[in-house]
Amino acid sequence: MVNFFKRIYNRRVKDSFIGVYSNKIFAYVYRFYLSLLSDEAHAKIIFNDRMSYPLNLSNPQTLNEKIQWLKLNERTPLQTKCADKIAVRDYVREKIGDKYLIRMLYRTKNPKDLVQEKLPKEPFIIKTNHASSQYKVVLDKGEVEWAEEQRKFQKWLKVDLYKERREWQYGGIAPEIMVEELLISNNGGVPNDYKFHCFNGVVKFIQVDVGRGSLGHYRNYYFTDWSIAPFAWSSVFKDGKATDPSSLVVPKPDCLDEMIELSEKLSSDFRYVRIDLYECYGQVFFGEFTFHHDGGFRPILPVEYDFKLGAYLSLK
């Protein structure tokens, strides 16, 4: 009987005005319900909905379970500093030197400052320092509708990722807008994004995102010897597209050994962290720290690798 009504809903109601409107109401009510939960209850509800197994916080075994444990139990001011895309620059400077920092060209707390005359002539990227996926790539500032960007960044500055994701480190960041030099690859596109997953200060595997911001975005995984890792840990965007691995092999970067060494230095103060780096113009550049990859809410497939990767991480 339940399946019968599901078929009727999917065929007749889902895409109708009533279906779309009811889905919006349900989404609002569900978000409100989640906002009332404790951090632990919030983690359990979402985890149990998205994973093929229930969350065990008393004896976590998988990598995703251990990420949930870390979200609830490892909360330090240093994490907040390193999650802040501006404050982290001082930490990177102390650990590995400022030669690896992308040039910051401008910063402000006021979106009204995003006007053509205050911004650089060269290509740049505008970001917020306190959240994720909030950016604008600018190749020619004369072609940008700046009033629209001001409204967008005004809205983004109000986002609180701690409330949305229950990732504690974001809650203490003072929102700000930053403008950085835009890195451009040799083929004129976005450079590959190399993400080093570090366990107790040691790189265990490397995630490579190719074609970010495009329909061709894919994500491959490699071990430190650049052999292909036989698992997927894909993100899913609002349009439903997933960053699944591609059969296209990403060439081993010339600076791989240097990037591994830098990642291990940067990660040495943490149990688990993802260090994002770029290789561009024959040089390595620092991207950001991520303490809870996809919030620990995306399946690692096949699921046996969720357990195998979890074994890398000691919580003691």
Side-chain angles (χ1 to χ4, degrees):
M1 184 63 71
V2 172
N3 289 334
F4 170 76
F5 282 111
K6 280 185 177 179
R7 287 196 297 270
I8 294 297
Y9 175 80
N10 288 331
R11 292 177 183 176
R12 306 274 184 171
V13 180
K14 182 179 179 182
D15 296 324
S16 69
F17 172 78
I18 294 175
V20 172
Y21 189 69
S22 63
N23 284 339
K24 288 183 178 179
I25 293 175
F26 175 79
Y28 175 81
V29 172
Y30 184 60
R31 286 196 299 271
F32 177 72
Y33 165 69
L34 290 177
S35 72
L36 301 176
L37 300 177
S38 68
D39 290 351
E40 181 173 333
H42 181 276
K44 286 182 176 179
I45 287 287
I46 298 180
F47 192 94
N48 294 345
D49 180 57
R50 294 186 181 179
M51 299 296 180
S52 60
Y53 57 92
L55 175 60
N56 182 348
L57 289 172
S58 61
N59 185 28
Q61 297 296 313
T62 70
L63 180 52
N64 276 309
E65 284 181 320
K66 290 184 177 182
I67 288 175
Q68 302 306 325
W69 188 94
L70 290 171
K71 284 164 66 176
L72 296 168
N73 295 284
E74 185 176 64
R75 299 179 169 187
T76 69
L78 184 57
Q79 285 178 301
T80 296
K81 178 177 182 177
C82 289
D84 182 332
K85 293 182 179 67
I86 292 177
V88 71
R89 296 171 68 88
D90 288 335
Y91 183 81
V92 172
R93 194 175 285 113
E94 293 167 7
K95 283 285 188 178
I96 60 175
D98 59 8
K99 66 176 282 190
Y100 298 103
L101 293 170
I102 300 171
R103 283 193 304 137
M104 186 158 66
L105 306 173
Y106 188 64
R107 58 188 285 191
T108 181
K109 295 181 179 179
N110 186 358
K112 296 294 184 183
D113 288 334
L114 296 179
V115 291
Q116 184 171 336
E117 53 269 25
K118 289 189 176 182
L119 296 169
K121 295 180 180 180
E122 61 196 281
F124 55 88
I125 182 169
I126 314 173
K127 305 176 183 177
T128 57
N129 69 318
H130 72 300
S132 176
S133 301
Q134 296 182 346
Y135 65 89
K136 170 68 177 180
V137 172
V138 178
L139 298 175
D140 184 344
K141 64 180 181 178
E143 296 181 354
V144 176
E145 178 49 64
W146 289 109
E148 180 181 339
E149 295 306 317
Q150 290 171 13
R151 289 191 292 270
K152 182 193 302 179
F153 275 87
Q154 182 71 56
K155 181 179 178 181
W156 282 348
L157 286 176
K158 297 177 181 177
V159 169
D160 186 338
L161 279 194
Y162 171 55
K163 289 182 179 179
E164 287 190 3
R165 299 186 182 181
R166 305 300 180 93
E167 296 184 44
W168 177 88
Q169 68 273 14
Y170 291 110
I173 301 174
E176 196 166 346
I177 298 168
M178 59 190 295
V179 178
E180 287 184 334
E181 174 189 4
L182 180 66
L183 299 182
I184 301 175
S185 67
N186 292 334
N187 62 11
V190 178
N192 292 346
D193 195 350
Y194 299 94
K195 301 174 184 291
F196 296 78
H197 291 254
C198 302
F199 297 74
N200 306 109
V202 178
V203 176
K204 291 296 186 179
F205 63 89
I206 304 156
Q207 166 189 335
V208 188
D209 279 62
V210 180
R212 289 174 302 116
S214 72
L215 295 176
H217 183 176
Y218 65 89
R219 176 179 296 168
N220 286 2
Y221 284 91
Y222 297 87
F223 292 119
T224 54
D225 63 358
W226 213 246
S227 59
I228 296 175
F231 62 83
W233 198 4
S234 302
S235 300
V236 179
F237 299 115
K238 290 181 180 179
D239 61 2
K241 176 177 169 47
T243 57
D244 292 332
S246 168
S247 59
L248 299 174
V249 176
V250 180
K252 177 181 175 181
D254 294 335
C255 301
L256 179 61
D257 290 342
E258 181 183 7
M259 288 194 284
I260 290 174
E261 180 182 355
L262 294 173
S263 296
E264 294 185 341
K265 287 181 179 179
L266 290 170
S267 68
S268 61
D269 293 320
F270 307 102
R271 288 186 175 103
Y272 167 78
V273 68
R274 196 190 78 205
I275 304 294
D276 295 2
L277 301 175
Y278 303 99
E279 183 187 38
C280 200
Y281 320 132
Q283 182 181 337
V284 176
F285 290 95
F286 169 77
E288 64 182 54
F289 278 71
T290 298
F291 290 100
H292 312 115
H293 177 79
D294 260 344
F297 290 132
R298 292 295 176 190
I300 298 173
L301 300 174
V303 70
E304 66 190 83
Y305 274 90
D306 205 350
F307 287 87
K308 288 181 178 180
L309 299 179
Y312 290 146
L313 179 56
S314 172
L315 299 179
K316 295 180 181 179

